[in-house]
Amino acid sequence: MKRDTVNLEPGVDLTRPLTPVNDDQRYIGASVPRGGIERLTQGLGQYVDDIELPRMAHVVYWRSPVAHMRINSVNADFARAMPGVLLVADGKDLAKVCKPWVATLGHLAGMKSAPQYALALDRACWQGEPVVAVVAETRAQAEDALAYIQVDWEELPAATDMRTALDPATPLIHPELGDNLCFTRTLDVGQVDETFANADVVADIEFEFGRHTGVTLEPRAQIAHWSPADRRLTVYHSCQAPHMMQDLYGRQFDLPASAIRVVCKDVGGSFGIKVHAYPDDFATVALSILLGRPVKFVADRLESFTSDIHARHHHIKARIAVNRDGEILGFDMDDLTGIGPYSMFPRTSAIEGNQVVNLVGGPYKHKHYRAKLNVVFQNKTPTCQYRGVGHPIACAVTEALVDLAAQKIGMDPLLIRELNVIPDDAYPTAGISGIKLEILSHEASLKKLRELMDYDALRAEQAALRKQGIHRGIGFATVIELTNPSAAFYGVGGARIASQDGATVRLDPEGHITVLIGVGEQGQGTEGIYQQIAADAVGVDITKVRVVTGDTDATPYGGGTWASRGAGIGGEAVLLAGQALRENIVKVAAIILKREGSTLAVRRDRIVDAATGEELLPLAELGRIAYFRSDTLPAEFTPELMVTRHYAQRDFPFIFTNGVQASYVEVDPDTGFVKLLKHWAVEDCGRVLNPMLVDEQMRGAIVQGIGGALLEECLFDDSGLMVNASMADYLVPMSAEMPDIEVAHIQTPTATSKLGAKGAGEAGTAGAPAAVMNAINDAIAPFDAHVFSQPITPQKVLRALGKVR
């Protein structure tokens, strides 16, 4: 495959053009400040909790206080008598209007889950599961009445430890399923047993990955408004996929999609937390239908910790086989992950573990791989897709094994990676698990990283400081990241989640451009990217471009924001629509100017002579004539100044991107504290549309990955109760604790689209935990110590050093 690789330093424009989208390209590839940022920084954003509708009521939920209980009865007489209370409803009430759901995917063979309801019926299966809804005129009135709900419940035995979930003595969460196994998968490629038996060195590790959750700036929120007069449902939502939610509401409430509007205005962070359908989502809609008036639900921070999905809960045993010369021969892995009592709807809770199986060993050219996955039910908060979706787990397993193997054979950890990554001239190819790889740049990325961090000098500094009793470590992580998914991700399994997106681009009469697209803004700068693309594609100033997102009544049908698809899928749709609009503008101009269209171009809000650049007609004048003076145009000619185009990835199941990260840390062997000194990332996300925004995404994602590596964990007691469900006890990374993060780029544009963009939103999170863990282990290597349990707390470091039990 023809390769087009370009080095791009942070904040620097392209060193040479990549397949121009217009002969007047000015914005794509430039560090343009994100659109709409002034509105948000001035406090003028509109979030769900800002929206007030006439006759709007408020709902709060009585949630299970224990991990597993039988609901004997609900007495709500006192609550109903409280001031302002409009309705108190339980699971049986809502089941009359909302159907149950089962979250499985057809291509995950043998996967099973139990039916789930908007409110628990006879049993509640995790602490935080909604059981009773109280609706009142105000939030305060609803919360006051909530205290008077009397639920007669009986605590049931709980399955809380995923390591014993399949034991005969463990209680069955859903007896009708026969066991606590949700999904299992085995992959066996090559001759694994023979390879490990004949290898010079085998390194094995037992990993623990603790649960953590998203802690979005804006909690989950929605307003459901059922209008009995026109039998139409409008839902204002803080979510990532408006059309997906529109479809789900239609199915669960037997409504046609045309009767449902989902509106997502500003969204204060999502990270995958807001890409799922929660029981309280459906309950809020059901309550609005029962009352015939708007109902608002806003989760408070405390209930978010047990009602938002968790992720990353894995116990993994893995090993690597290598030769003395550093050749990686194979990997062998056994992954056990716990997901809560139900698979989340509709994306399912087996995807994360399935991704781990697909991605372990992914960057390397070994030929032997075996993996076993068991996904088990627990009486804990459900887990599901969260930023990175299996990538941080797979990367940490792979990269820790590579480091340990290098240590055993006495090889430099950067060198062993340089020797074993899939060569840059080997593409297209397939990874050992069967993943199809179009074009990656491992070799170029590693070379760039070595230069960026001045590796040899850093090693010399490390050695000198060790003589002074200062223990610093350097850790690496070679990353592959799944982006731009096709229908092979969900559609093939029967999930009605769009893999395509559409964009409509319109020339307004005054010469401005309006872009309508279903991929929404979650704080990552998507709207700014679309402004850049549309401005270049059409040929206008970026200040003349307005972007409308997140409204199923206004935007073309699409998948929304997930799996790093905003630029690669949504951006391509904007490009195609913009280019088509430019062609139509030229057709109109040719009629007005009585010239051949081939002699005209659109540049900087004007029709110009393509050869000389001479201005011939402002777009505003073209718009005036096209919209208001059609009588001056030929009778057989109709201007078409609003164009819609769609795009879906079809050439590959996914478009993989890649990169490499390095972390430099200092470990205090007396306290176990880790100080982050510096972090480097070289990222290849294909064509870089806006270096500033990509770097922001990388830094934010790296910080989020560091949070999981060092700080964040949802801690439970033996009875299945979360013991740190508050911001006072759940640790998140703070700016003062984070290192300087230096980002650089290699560009290998995908050939599957004109834009050439891959995704960039999750790669930082995918690689940071592995890099930090390896750096810590490098720092404590002189003590013959390792720690492979995340988050890596001071206590775990001291335990590895033998200083505490």
Side-chain angles (χ1 to χ4, degrees), residues 503-517 530 534-535 537-540 544-548 553-556 573-574 576-582 584-585 619 622-623 626-627 639-645:
T504 296
V505 182
R506 180 182 72 222
L507 176 69
D508 296 323
E510 70 279 10
H512 290 212
I513 299 297
T514 298
V515 177
L516 301 100
I517 183 167
Y530 297 153
V538 178
V540 300
K544 304 289 182 65
V545 181
R546 174 174 173 259
V547 178
V548 177
D553 265 10
T555 64
V574 172
L576 296 176
Q579 290 179 327
L581 176 60
R582 188 178 78 242
N584 287 359
I585 289 172
L619 279 186
L622 182 145
Y627 285 109
E640 298 287 348
L641 298 179
M642 183 171 177
V643 177
T644 300
R645 292 291 183 271

Short mmCIF file of all heavy atoms in Angstrom, two decimals, residues 503-517 530 534-535 537-540 544-548 553-556 573-574 576-582 584-585 619 622-623 626-627 639-645:
data_model
loop_
_atom_site.label_atom_id
_atom_site.label_comp_id
_atom_site.label_asym_id
_atom_site.label_seq_id
_atom_site.Cartn_x
_atom_site.Cartn_y
_atom_site.Cartn_z
N ALA A 503 -24.33 14.02 7.06
CA ALA A 503 -24.19 15.46 7.32
C ALA A 503 -24.93 16.22 6.24
O ALA A 503 -24.90 15.84 5.06
CB ALA A 503 -22.72 15.87 7.34
N THR A 504 -25.59 17.25 6.65
CA THR A 504 -26.24 18.17 5.72
C THR A 504 -25.49 19.51 5.79
O THR A 504 -25.26 20.03 6.88
CB THR A 504 -27.71 18.39 6.09
OG1 THR A 504 -28.41 17.16 5.97
CG2 THR A 504 -28.35 19.44 5.19
N VAL A 505 -25.11 20.03 4.64
CA VAL A 505 -24.42 21.32 4.57
C VAL A 505 -25.25 22.23 3.67
O VAL A 505 -25.59 21.87 2.54
CB VAL A 505 -22.98 21.18 4.04
CG1 VAL A 505 -22.28 22.53 4.03
CG2 VAL A 505 -22.20 20.19 4.90
N ARG A 506 -25.56 23.42 4.20
CA ARG A 506 -26.47 24.34 3.52
C ARG A 506 -25.82 25.70 3.35
O ARG A 506 -25.20 26.23 4.28
CB ARG A 506 -27.75 24.48 4.34
CG ARG A 506 -28.80 25.41 3.75
CD ARG A 506 -30.01 25.52 4.68
NE ARG A 506 -29.72 26.31 5.87
CZ ARG A 506 -30.13 25.99 7.10
NH1 ARG A 506 -30.80 24.87 7.30
NH2 ARG A 506 -29.86 26.78 8.12
N LEU A 507 -25.95 26.27 2.16
CA LEU A 507 -25.57 27.66 1.95
C LEU A 507 -26.77 28.54 2.27
O LEU A 507 -27.83 28.40 1.66
CB LEU A 507 -25.13 27.91 0.51
CG LEU A 507 -24.79 29.36 0.17
CD1 LEU A 507 -23.51 29.80 0.86
CD2 LEU A 507 -24.68 29.57 -1.34
N ASP A 508 -26.61 29.42 3.24
CA ASP A 508 -27.68 30.33 3.60
C ASP A 508 -27.64 31.56 2.69
O ASP A 508 -26.60 31.85 2.07
CB ASP A 508 -27.57 30.73 5.07
CG ASP A 508 -27.75 29.52 5.99
OD1 ASP A 508 -28.58 28.66 5.65
OD2 ASP A 508 -27.05 29.45 7.02
N PRO A 509 -28.74 32.33 2.59
CA PRO A 509 -28.79 33.43 1.62
C PRO A 509 -27.69 34.47 1.77
O PRO A 509 -27.24 35.04 0.77
CB PRO A 509 -30.17 34.06 1.90
CG PRO A 509 -30.99 32.94 2.42
CD PRO A 509 -30.05 32.10 3.23
N GLU A 510 -27.20 34.71 2.98
CA GLU A 510 -26.18 35.73 3.18
C GLU A 510 -24.77 35.20 2.94
O GLU A 510 -23.79 35.90 3.19
CB GLU A 510 -26.29 36.35 4.57
CG GLU A 510 -25.88 35.44 5.72
CD GLU A 510 -26.97 34.46 6.14
OE1 GLU A 510 -27.99 34.35 5.42
OE2 GLU A 510 -26.81 33.82 7.19
N GLY A 511 -24.65 33.95 2.47
CA GLY A 511 -23.36 33.38 2.17
C GLY A 511 -22.72 32.60 3.30
O GLY A 511 -21.58 32.17 3.18
N HIS A 512 -23.45 32.40 4.40
CA HIS A 512 -22.94 31.59 5.50
C HIS A 512 -23.28 30.12 5.25
O HIS A 512 -24.12 29.78 4.42
CB HIS A 512 -23.54 32.05 6.82
CG HIS A 512 -23.03 33.39 7.27
ND1 HIS A 512 -22.89 33.71 8.59
CD2 HIS A 512 -22.64 34.48 6.57
CE1 HIS A 512 -22.42 34.94 8.70
NE2 HIS A 512 -22.27 35.44 7.48
N ILE A 513 -22.61 29.23 6.02
CA ILE A 513 -22.80 27.79 5.88
C ILE A 513 -23.36 27.23 7.17
O ILE A 513 -22.87 27.55 8.27
CB ILE A 513 -21.46 27.08 5.55
CG1 ILE A 513 -20.88 27.60 4.24
CG2 ILE A 513 -21.64 25.56 5.50
CD1 ILE A 513 -21.73 27.32 3.03
N THR A 514 -24.36 26.38 7.08
CA THR A 514 -24.89 25.66 8.23
C THR A 514 -24.65 24.17 8.03
O THR A 514 -24.97 23.64 6.96
CB THR A 514 -26.39 25.93 8.42
OG1 THR A 514 -26.59 27.33 8.68
CG2 THR A 514 -26.94 25.13 9.61
N VAL A 515 -24.08 23.53 9.04
CA VAL A 515 -23.80 22.10 9.01
C VAL A 515 -24.67 21.42 10.04
O VAL A 515 -24.69 21.82 11.22
CB VAL A 515 -22.31 21.82 9.31
CG1 VAL A 515 -22.04 20.32 9.35
CG2 VAL A 515 -21.42 22.52 8.29
N LEU A 516 -25.37 20.39 9.65
CA LEU A 516 -26.19 19.61 10.57
C LEU A 516 -25.68 18.18 10.57
O LEU A 516 -25.59 17.54 9.51
CB LEU A 516 -27.67 19.64 10.14
CG LEU A 516 -28.32 21.02 10.05
CD1 LEU A 516 -28.36 21.48 8.60
CD2 LEU A 516 -29.73 21.00 10.63
N ILE A 517 -25.35 17.67 11.77
CA ILE A 517 -24.78 16.33 11.86
C ILE A 517 -25.14 15.71 13.21
O ILE A 517 -25.26 16.39 14.22
CB ILE A 517 -23.24 16.37 11.68
CG1 ILE A 517 -22.66 14.96 11.71
CG2 ILE A 517 -22.58 17.29 12.71
CD1 ILE A 517 -21.24 14.88 11.23
N TYR A 530 -15.66 20.11 12.65
CA TYR A 530 -16.60 20.17 11.53
C TYR A 530 -16.60 21.56 10.90
O TYR A 530 -16.80 21.69 9.68
CB TYR A 530 -18.00 19.79 12.00
CG TYR A 530 -18.09 18.36 12.50
CD1 TYR A 530 -19.04 17.98 13.44
CD2 TYR A 530 -17.21 17.38 12.04
CE1 TYR A 530 -19.13 16.68 13.89
CE2 TYR A 530 -17.28 16.08 12.50
CZ TYR A 530 -18.24 15.73 13.44
OH TYR A 530 -18.32 14.45 13.90
N ALA A 534 -15.80 21.91 6.93
CA ALA A 534 -16.79 22.53 6.06
C ALA A 534 -16.24 23.80 5.41
O ALA A 534 -16.49 24.06 4.23
CB ALA A 534 -18.06 22.84 6.85
N ALA A 535 -15.49 24.58 6.18
CA ALA A 535 -14.94 25.82 5.64
C ALA A 535 -14.01 25.54 4.47
O ALA A 535 -14.07 26.21 3.43
CB ALA A 535 -14.20 26.59 6.74
N ALA A 537 -13.92 22.64 2.69
CA ALA A 537 -14.60 21.88 1.63
C ALA A 537 -15.41 22.80 0.73
O ALA A 537 -15.46 22.62 -0.49
CB ALA A 537 -15.50 20.81 2.24
N VAL A 538 -16.05 23.81 1.34
CA VAL A 538 -16.89 24.71 0.54
C VAL A 538 -16.07 25.88 -0.01
O VAL A 538 -16.23 26.28 -1.15
CB VAL A 538 -18.08 25.23 1.38
CG1 VAL A 538 -18.93 26.20 0.56
CG2 VAL A 538 -18.93 24.06 1.86
N GLY A 539 -15.19 26.41 0.84
CA GLY A 539 -14.39 27.55 0.41
C GLY A 539 -14.81 28.84 1.08
O GLY A 539 -14.84 29.89 0.43
N VAL A 540 -15.14 28.77 2.38
CA VAL A 540 -15.58 29.96 3.10
C VAL A 540 -14.71 30.18 4.33
O VAL A 540 -13.97 29.30 4.76
CB VAL A 540 -17.06 29.85 3.52
CG1 VAL A 540 -17.96 29.68 2.31
CG2 VAL A 540 -17.26 28.69 4.51
N LYS A 544 -17.87 31.85 9.19
CA LYS A 544 -19.15 31.81 8.49
C LYS A 544 -19.84 30.45 8.61
O LYS A 544 -20.88 30.24 7.99
CB LYS A 544 -18.95 32.13 6.99
CG LYS A 544 -18.25 33.46 6.70
CD LYS A 544 -19.15 34.63 7.01
CE LYS A 544 -18.47 35.95 6.68
NZ LYS A 544 -18.20 36.13 5.24
N VAL A 545 -19.24 29.54 9.40
CA VAL A 545 -19.78 28.18 9.50
C VAL A 545 -20.44 27.98 10.87
O VAL A 545 -19.82 28.21 11.91
CB VAL A 545 -18.68 27.12 9.30
CG1 VAL A 545 -19.28 25.72 9.40
CG2 VAL A 545 -17.99 27.31 7.96
N ARG A 546 -21.67 27.55 10.85
CA ARG A 546 -22.40 27.21 12.06
C ARG A 546 -22.69 25.72 12.05
O ARG A 546 -23.06 25.16 11.01
CB ARG A 546 -23.71 28.00 12.14
CG ARG A 546 -24.62 27.61 13.30
CD ARG A 546 -25.83 28.54 13.39
NE ARG A 546 -26.79 28.08 14.38
CZ ARG A 546 -27.92 27.42 14.10
NH1 ARG A 546 -28.21 27.15 12.83
NH2 ARG A 546 -28.73 27.03 15.05
N VAL A 547 -22.53 25.07 13.20
CA VAL A 547 -22.73 23.62 13.29
C VAL A 547 -23.90 23.33 14.23
O VAL A 547 -23.96 23.87 15.35
CB VAL A 547 -21.46 22.91 13.81
CG1 VAL A 547 -21.70 21.40 13.94
CG2 VAL A 547 -20.29 23.17 12.85
N VAL A 548 -24.81 22.49 13.79
CA VAL A 548 -25.95 22.04 14.59
C VAL A 548 -25.81 20.54 14.80
O VAL A 548 -25.67 19.78 13.83
CB VAL A 548 -27.29 22.36 13.89
CG1 VAL A 548 -28.47 21.82 14.69
CG2 VAL A 548 -27.43 23.86 13.65
N ASP A 553 -34.62 15.40 15.16
CA ASP A 553 -35.55 16.04 14.23
C ASP A 553 -34.84 16.84 13.16
O ASP A 553 -35.42 17.13 12.11
CB ASP A 553 -36.49 16.98 14.99
CG ASP A 553 -37.80 16.31 15.37
OD1 ASP A 553 -37.90 15.07 15.20
OD2 ASP A 553 -38.71 17.00 15.84
N ALA A 554 -33.59 17.23 13.40
CA ALA A 554 -32.91 18.14 12.49
C ALA A 554 -31.75 17.51 11.74
O ALA A 554 -31.49 17.87 10.59
CB ALA A 554 -32.39 19.36 13.27
N THR A 555 -31.05 16.60 12.36
CA THR A 555 -29.81 16.08 11.77
C THR A 555 -30.04 14.76 11.05
O THR A 555 -30.95 14.00 11.39
CB THR A 555 -28.75 15.86 12.87
OG1 THR A 555 -29.21 14.84 13.77
CG2 THR A 555 -28.51 17.14 13.64
N PRO A 556 -29.23 14.46 10.06
CA PRO A 556 -29.32 13.14 9.42
C PRO A 556 -29.06 12.02 10.42
O PRO A 556 -28.38 12.22 11.43
CB PRO A 556 -28.21 13.20 8.36
CG PRO A 556 -27.99 14.64 8.10
CD PRO A 556 -28.23 15.32 9.42
N ALA A 573 -18.34 12.56 6.46
CA ALA A 573 -19.66 12.93 5.96
C ALA A 573 -19.74 14.43 5.72
O ALA A 573 -20.30 14.89 4.71
CB ALA A 573 -20.74 12.48 6.95
N VAL A 574 -19.17 15.23 6.63
CA VAL A 574 -19.16 16.68 6.44
C VAL A 574 -18.35 17.05 5.20
O VAL A 574 -18.75 17.91 4.41
CB VAL A 574 -18.59 17.38 7.70
CG1 VAL A 574 -18.39 18.87 7.44
CG2 VAL A 574 -19.51 17.17 8.89
N LEU A 576 -17.73 15.22 2.50
CA LEU A 576 -18.44 14.83 1.27
C LEU A 576 -19.59 15.78 0.97
O LEU A 576 -19.80 16.19 -0.18
CB LEU A 576 -18.94 13.39 1.39
CG LEU A 576 -17.87 12.31 1.52
CD1 LEU A 576 -18.52 10.95 1.74
CD2 LEU A 576 -16.97 12.28 0.30
N ALA A 577 -20.34 16.15 2.01
CA ALA A 577 -21.46 17.07 1.80
C ALA A 577 -20.95 18.45 1.40
O ALA A 577 -21.52 19.12 0.53
CB ALA A 577 -22.31 17.15 3.07
N GLY A 578 -19.87 18.89 2.03
CA GLY A 578 -19.31 20.21 1.70
C GLY A 578 -18.79 20.28 0.28
O GLY A 578 -19.00 21.28 -0.43
N GLN A 579 -18.12 19.23 -0.14
CA GLN A 579 -17.61 19.21 -1.51
C GLN A 579 -18.76 19.19 -2.52
O GLN A 579 -18.69 19.85 -3.57
CB GLN A 579 -16.70 18.01 -1.72
CG GLN A 579 -15.37 18.11 -0.96
CD GLN A 579 -14.50 16.89 -1.15
OE1 GLN A 579 -14.99 15.77 -1.29
NE2 GLN A 579 -13.20 17.10 -1.14
N ALA A 580 -19.81 18.43 -2.21
CA ALA A 580 -20.96 18.39 -3.11
C ALA A 580 -21.65 19.75 -3.17
O ALA A 580 -22.10 20.19 -4.24
CB ALA A 580 -21.95 17.31 -2.65
N LEU A 581 -21.73 20.44 -2.03
CA LEU A 581 -22.33 21.77 -2.03
C LEU A 581 -21.49 22.73 -2.86
O LEU A 581 -22.04 23.55 -3.62
CB LEU A 581 -22.47 22.29 -0.60
CG LEU A 581 -23.00 23.73 -0.47
CD1 LEU A 581 -24.39 23.86 -1.09
CD2 LEU A 581 -23.01 24.17 0.98
N ARG A 582 -20.17 22.64 -2.75
CA ARG A 582 -19.31 23.52 -3.53
C ARG A 582 -19.55 23.32 -5.03
O ARG A 582 -19.62 24.28 -5.80
CB ARG A 582 -17.84 23.28 -3.19
CG ARG A 582 -16.91 24.30 -3.84
CD ARG A 582 -15.46 24.08 -3.46
NE ARG A 582 -14.86 22.98 -4.20
CZ ARG A 582 -14.38 21.88 -3.64
NH1 ARG A 582 -14.44 21.70 -2.33
NH2 ARG A 582 -13.85 20.92 -4.39
N ASN A 584 -22.29 22.35 -6.41
CA ASN A 584 -23.59 22.95 -6.75
C ASN A 584 -23.51 24.48 -6.78
O ASN A 584 -24.17 25.13 -7.59
CB ASN A 584 -24.65 22.50 -5.74
CG ASN A 584 -25.06 21.05 -5.96
OD1 ASN A 584 -24.56 20.39 -6.87
ND2 ASN A 584 -25.96 20.56 -5.12
N ILE A 585 -22.71 25.04 -5.88
CA ILE A 585 -22.52 26.49 -5.90
C ILE A 585 -21.89 26.93 -7.22
O ILE A 585 -22.30 27.94 -7.83
CB ILE A 585 -21.65 26.92 -4.70
CG1 ILE A 585 -22.43 26.78 -3.39
CG2 ILE A 585 -21.15 28.36 -4.87
CD1 ILE A 585 -21.60 27.00 -2.14
N LEU A 619 -20.41 35.19 -2.43
CA LEU A 619 -21.38 34.14 -2.14
C LEU A 619 -22.70 34.73 -1.66
O LEU A 619 -23.77 34.16 -1.90
CB LEU A 619 -20.83 33.18 -1.09
CG LEU A 619 -19.86 32.10 -1.57
CD1 LEU A 619 -19.52 31.16 -0.44
CD2 LEU A 619 -20.44 31.33 -2.75
N LEU A 622 -24.65 35.50 -4.66
CA LEU A 622 -25.14 34.25 -5.25
C LEU A 622 -26.33 33.73 -4.46
O LEU A 622 -27.34 33.29 -5.04
CB LEU A 622 -24.02 33.21 -5.30
CG LEU A 622 -24.35 31.86 -5.92
CD1 LEU A 622 -23.13 31.30 -6.68
CD2 LEU A 622 -24.80 30.83 -4.88
N GLY A 623 -26.24 33.78 -3.12
CA GLY A 623 -27.35 33.33 -2.30
C GLY A 623 -28.59 34.17 -2.50
O GLY A 623 -29.72 33.65 -2.55
N ALA A 626 -30.10 33.13 -5.87
CA ALA A 626 -30.63 31.76 -5.87
C ALA A 626 -31.91 31.63 -5.06
O ALA A 626 -32.85 30.93 -5.47
CB ALA A 626 -29.57 30.81 -5.32
N TYR A 627 -31.98 32.33 -3.92
CA TYR A 627 -33.14 32.16 -3.05
C TYR A 627 -34.27 33.15 -3.36
O TYR A 627 -35.45 32.80 -3.21
CB TYR A 627 -32.71 32.34 -1.59
CG TYR A 627 -31.95 31.14 -1.04
CD1 TYR A 627 -30.60 31.22 -0.78
CD2 TYR A 627 -32.60 29.94 -0.78
CE1 TYR A 627 -29.89 30.13 -0.27
CE2 TYR A 627 -31.91 28.84 -0.28
CZ TYR A 627 -30.55 28.94 -0.03
OH TYR A 627 -29.87 27.86 0.46
N PRO A 639 -31.60 25.85 -8.31
CA PRO A 639 -30.42 25.77 -7.44
C PRO A 639 -30.63 24.74 -6.32
O PRO A 639 -31.71 24.67 -5.72
CB PRO A 639 -30.33 27.19 -6.84
CG PRO A 639 -31.11 28.05 -7.77
CD PRO A 639 -32.21 27.19 -8.30
N GLU A 640 -29.61 23.94 -6.07
CA GLU A 640 -29.64 22.96 -4.99
C GLU A 640 -28.52 23.34 -4.02
O GLU A 640 -27.38 22.92 -4.19
CB GLU A 640 -29.43 21.54 -5.54
CG GLU A 640 -30.49 21.07 -6.52
CD GLU A 640 -31.81 20.74 -5.83
OE1 GLU A 640 -31.81 20.66 -4.57
OE2 GLU A 640 -32.82 20.58 -6.54
N LEU A 641 -28.87 24.13 -3.03
CA LEU A 641 -27.86 24.68 -2.13
C LEU A 641 -27.96 24.09 -0.72
O LEU A 641 -27.52 24.69 0.26
CB LEU A 641 -27.98 26.21 -2.09
CG LEU A 641 -27.74 26.89 -3.45
CD1 LEU A 641 -27.91 28.39 -3.32
CD2 LEU A 641 -26.37 26.53 -4.01
N MET A 642 -28.51 22.91 -0.65
CA MET A 642 -28.56 22.14 0.60
C MET A 642 -28.31 20.69 0.23
O MET A 642 -29.08 20.11 -0.53
CB MET A 642 -29.90 22.31 1.31
CG MET A 642 -30.01 21.61 2.65
SD MET A 642 -31.54 22.11 3.49
CE MET A 642 -31.47 21.11 4.97
N VAL A 643 -27.23 20.12 0.74
CA VAL A 643 -26.77 18.81 0.30
C VAL A 643 -26.56 17.89 1.52
O VAL A 643 -26.03 18.33 2.54
CB VAL A 643 -25.45 18.92 -0.49
CG1 VAL A 643 -24.93 17.55 -0.88
CG2 VAL A 643 -25.65 19.79 -1.72
N THR A 644 -26.97 16.66 1.39
CA THR A 644 -26.74 15.66 2.44
C THR A 644 -25.92 14.52 1.87
O THR A 644 -26.21 14.02 0.78
CB THR A 644 -28.07 15.12 2.99
OG1 THR A 644 -28.84 16.19 3.54
CG2 THR A 644 -27.83 14.07 4.07
N ARG A 645 -24.93 14.12 2.61
CA ARG A 645 -24.11 12.96 2.24
C ARG A 645 -23.89 12.09 3.47
O ARG A 645 -23.86 12.58 4.60
CB ARG A 645 -22.76 13.40 1.66
CG ARG A 645 -22.84 14.10 0.32
CD ARG A 645 -23.26 13.14 -0.78
NE ARG A 645 -23.28 13.78 -2.10
CZ ARG A 645 -24.33 14.42 -2.61
NH1 ARG A 645 -25.45 14.52 -1.92
NH2 ARG A 645 -24.26 14.97 -3.80
#
